[in-house]
Amino acid sequence: MIVYGVALLSACLILGMLIGELLGVALGVQANVGGVGTAMLFLVLASNSDKFKALVDGASGTGIQFWSAMYIPIVVAMAARQNVVAAFEGGMLAVVAGVAAVIVSFALVPVISKIGNSGTTSEESQ
Amino acid sequence: MEILETVFVRNSLVVAFAVVGLTIWISYFLADKLTKGRIHGSAIAIALGLLAAYFGGKATGGSTGVADITLLGGIGLMGGGMMRDFAIVATAFGVKLSELKKAGLAGVVSIFAGVIVSFVVGALVAVLYGYTDPVAVTTIGAGAVTYIVGPVTGSALGADSDIIALSVAAGLIKSILVMIVTPMVAKTIGLNNPQSAMVFGGLMGTTSGVAAGLAATDPKLVPYGAMTATFYTGVGCLLGPSILFFIVNAIL
């Protein structure tokens, strides 16, 4: 049943969000700490486990795949509802700060990826 | 006209599906014919979405782009946080645990490095523009982290509302830029495997930016980048009003 997959996906999201909120409260921050990431982890675990086979195989799996495929359309809708006007009316300071942060962050991607790669190759050689 | 409006408003989410579907069809057509597939169709669709959001915001004076236009209200629901998170989690279906473990350490490092680097850059720009008040500098720096960390930090520190607005603007610029630039620089920065996607998500942190940027680069990388990116805002909200503020306060 398609709905089993959708229900599993929903359960993962809600559980992850609850943990994210609790983590936020525990750390004293007004934000959900990694709720979505935790939910993704639950879904990865469930889809790699035998216990949940009935909820992720066959038709049930297509219920999850449908939402996965709807991801890009949803992102397009998300782009269409951004406050683009406010972003550009923030003035030059906002533009410079945003642009500079992006440039420096992009430049760091290959640097930090290398840390990870050297780490894994040493692990694999051990 | 009135009948049209009634039908569109009553079925707003369905209208959104149709409008977004049409936009994506046009985008893939343009990507194929005009750029011969060099620019990904979804990159064009996202750019069209942002452009529409600009004109929607200009026309209505609202804060949610196209979604403020009555006939297109459903876009707000379809592109809102709930649907976005639901679809992002769904992309994790089929992700291999081993890939996650491989980039585990680099992923965690990237989240902290990303928050700190963006904060420092934002704070430096604020200082260059003549701000000397530690609260203002911290809030603008936090805005360069994400547009959520900015106001959270600002209100925790009691910053003025115009400074908070500025921090949100800086975060929005960052998010929009990541959406547009990621597919262009993906090759140069080696963004072509799950590990670098996790590092990328952790460094950029803006969930919407990372989500859209990776979608336009290679949809297979989306879950890896999104996984780390969703921890970034939490870490930013944790560090912004605390350690980072103390450091700024000590320096200025």
Side-chain angles (χ1 to χ4, degrees), chain B residues 119 123 132-135 137-138 243-252:
Chain B
F119 178 84
T132 51
D133 171 28
V135 170
V137 171
T138 307
I243 303 170
L244 294 173
F245 173 66
F246 299 144
I247 295 172
V248 171
N249 205 15
I251 294 172
L252 290 175

Side-chain angles (χ1 to χ4, degrees), chain B residues 21-209:
Chain B
L22 184 68
T23 310
I24 290 180
W25 182 77
I26 293 171
S27 305
Y28 275 77
F29 180 79
L30 290 176
D32 198 35
K33 295 284 166 203
L34 288 185
T35 74
K36 295 203 170 75
R38 252 181 309 167
I39 298 177
H40 202 279
S42 46
I44 295 179
I46 289 161
L48 282 180
L50 289 170
L51 198 69
Y54 179 80
F55 288 112
K58 273 278 175 212
T60 62
S63 65
T64 53
V66 161
D68 284 317
I69 298 169
T70 317
L71 292 180
L72 296 173
I75 300 271
L77 179 57
M78 183 179 173
M82 180 172 68
M83 298 292 266
R84 184 197 64 191
D85 292 344
F86 195 57
I88 286 183
V89 174
T91 64
F93 189 56
V95 162
K96 290 199 184 72
L97 261 183
S98 53
E99 297 284 359
L100 292 182
K101 280 186 191 148
K102 250 195 246 173
L105 177 68
V108 173
V109 170
S110 70
I111 295 169
F112 284 90
V115 168
I116 293 167
V117 162
S118 288
F119 178 84
V120 170
V121 170
L124 278 178
V125 172
V127 171
L128 285 178
Y129 270 81
Y131 285 91
T132 51
D133 171 28
V135 170
V137 171
T138 307
T139 305
I140 295 168
V145 177
T146 69
Y147 58 80
I148 296 170
V149 179
V152 166
T153 303
S155 42
L157 299 175
D160 291 336
S161 68
D162 57 324
I163 298 289
I164 292 180
L166 204 56
S167 78
V168 173
L172 279 174
I173 293 279
K174 179 180 173 183
S175 160
I176 291 166
L177 214 62
V178 173
M179 289 184 199
I180 298 172
V181 178
T182 303
M184 299 178 191
V185 299
K187 231 183 217 163
T188 324
I189 60 173
L191 187 57
N192 55 13
N193 58 72
Q195 283 79 21
S196 62
M198 279 180 78
V199 168
F200 167 79
L203 278 171
M204 298 301 160
T206 143
T207 312
S208 358

Side-chain angles (χ1 to χ4, degrees), chain A residues 7 29 43 63 67-68 76 89 104 126:
Chain A
V29 288
L43 189 63
W67 284 104
S68 174
V76 172
E89 280 173 357
V104 176
Q126 274 165 10

